[in-house]
Amino acid sequence: MTIRKATAEGLRLIFLCIIMCISLVPFIWTFIASFKTTPEILESAISLPDQLSFDNYISAFQKAPLLLFFINSTIVTLVSIVFVLLLFSMAAYVFARHKFKGSEWLFSFLSLSLLVPTTAIIFPLYLLVKQIGLYDTKAGLMFVYVSLSMPISIYIFRSFFLTIPKDMEESAYMEGSGFVRTYFQIIVPLVKPVFATAAILAYLTSWNDFLYALLITSGQENRTIPLVMKYFESQQFGSDLGAVFAAAVIVILPSIVVYLLLQRQIVSGLVAGATKG
């Protein structure tokens, strides 16, 4: 039995090491290459740079509107997260606590939308954004990202709300607390891990999106950070490989930092929603 357990632990360790390498090696390679010159990158992909220099990062900011796109992404992402947490947490709370005619059917319909590929709704969303006058605006991007985050957000919020005993709310109601006050003062503090989970999922939907940002915006004024890599596709900019890798690091790094800061809350929220829902 001990040999079997040791073998299982060894296999698990090997599997985790493989997954870690698959996850970390591409980013580490990109990060190292961002400090190398183009000749150094072409000469050896895995060698270290001869000297530590931030010239590639300076060049990336000079050749592409990185700062503008970064600010746009920050605004769109933060506003989208606020709307996702506020609207969908309250909607999920209603689904969890108040049964009304057709509520189960409506929730099932929303859950089934999780199975719809994002690419399948590109054209309808594009037409909708055009018709309501939000094309090439930050509001249009926010509308799309909040919509895309709706199914999974409502699902994980409702799953966690169902685990909270109703006695706490009933006691608050008996003491004169209203529905809104009970929700914000009693319920919300209990579900902070789920808020962190929903926030990071909404963040990834907004920050990392390339397709909708490309289709729904046409000018530089409202475009977001993933689109900055298109500026390095041309022969003029694409020949500067160091700047390309530097731009890639700038695009990727915020997502890694956000996840590391909220890692515990994210994992606990996902586990709680899965085991208690």
Side-chain angles (χ1 to χ4, degrees):
M1 189 67 180
T2 305
I3 297 177
R4 287 186 178 181
K5 186 176 180 180
T7 303
E9 290 293 331
L11 291 174
R12 180 166 28 175
L13 181 61
I14 293 173
F15 176 76
L16 291 176
C17 290
I18 293 173
I19 296 299
M20 185 177 65
C21 290
I22 293 174
S23 303
L24 293 180
V25 169
F27 176 75
I28 294 174
W29 176 70
T30 301
F31 182 75
I32 294 174
S34 68
F35 293 99
K36 298 164 66 175
T37 63
T38 299
E40 289 176 338
I41 295 173
L42 296 176
E43 181 180 352
S44 175
I46 61 175
S47 63
L48 295 175
D50 292 337
Q51 59 180 0
L52 187 64
S53 175
F54 290 91
D55 291 342
N56 290 331
Y57 289 87
I58 297 173
S59 178
F61 276 97
Q62 291 175 343
K63 293 181 176 181
L66 267 169
L67 183 60
L68 174 62
F69 286 13
F70 194 93
I71 294 173
N72 289 342
S73 282
T74 302
I75 295 173
V76 170
T77 300
L78 290 179
V79 175
S80 298
I81 290 174
V82 170
F83 274 99
V84 166
L85 297 183
L86 184 63
L87 296 178
F88 300 147
S89 65
M90 292 190 292
Y93 183 66
V94 172
F95 275 120
R97 286 293 190 259
H98 300 276
K99 302 300 180 182
F100 53 90
K101 188 176 181 180
S103 62
E104 293 297 330
W105 284 98
L106 181 57
F107 179 75
S108 299
F109 179 77
L110 290 173
S111 299
L112 285 174
S113 63
L114 289 168
L115 304 177
V116 179
T118 305
T119 52
I121 57 175
I122 292 175
F123 189 62
L125 271 178
Y126 173 78
L127 289 180
L128 181 59
V129 170
K130 289 272 287 186
Q131 290 175 358
I132 62 179
L134 294 180
Y135 179 76
D136 197 22
T137 63
K138 295 182 183 67
L141 289 174
M142 296 172 194
F143 173 79
V144 170
Y145 297 147
V146 171
S147 301
L148 294 176
S149 299
M150 179 177 64
I152 185 63
S153 299
I154 291 180
Y155 182 82
I156 61 176
F157 272 121
R158 179 181 178 273
S159 298
F160 200 89
F161 286 143
L162 289 173
T163 68
I164 300 176
K166 293 183 179 180
D167 298 344
M168 302 178 64
E169 298 154 88
E170 293 173 353
S171 299
Y173 292 145
M174 292 179 62
E175 294 180 4
S177 178
F179 176 79
V180 176
R181 183 180 178 185
T182 300
Y183 173 73
F184 282 104
Q185 293 188 356
I186 304 297
I187 302 300
V188 170
L190 298 175
V191 294
K192 288 182 180 179
V194 181
F195 271 83
T197 303
I200 192 63
L201 292 175
Y203 170 85
L204 294 175
T205 299
S206 304
W207 188 271
N208 293 337
D209 174 68
F210 177 86
L211 183 58
Y212 285 100
L214 179 63
L215 293 176
I216 296 175
T217 59
S218 57
Q220 289 189 10
E221 184 179 353
N222 297 302
R223 289 196 154 174
T224 52
I225 196 69
L227 296 179
V228 79
M229 299 308 298
K230 284 189 62 65
Y231 283 81
F232 296 94
E233 290 181 357
S234 64
Q235 185 175 0
Q236 178 185 358
F237 295 156
S239 59
D240 190 352
L241 297 180
V244 172
F245 284 109
V249 171
I250 295 171
V251 173
I252 297 170
L253 193 58
S255 297
I256 297 175
V257 172
V258 168
Y259 181 80
L260 290 177
L261 291 176
L262 299 176
Q263 181 179 4
R264 289 186 178 180
Q265 291 86 345
I266 295 165
V267 174
S268 60
L270 286 174
V271 171
T275 58
K276 299 180 182 180

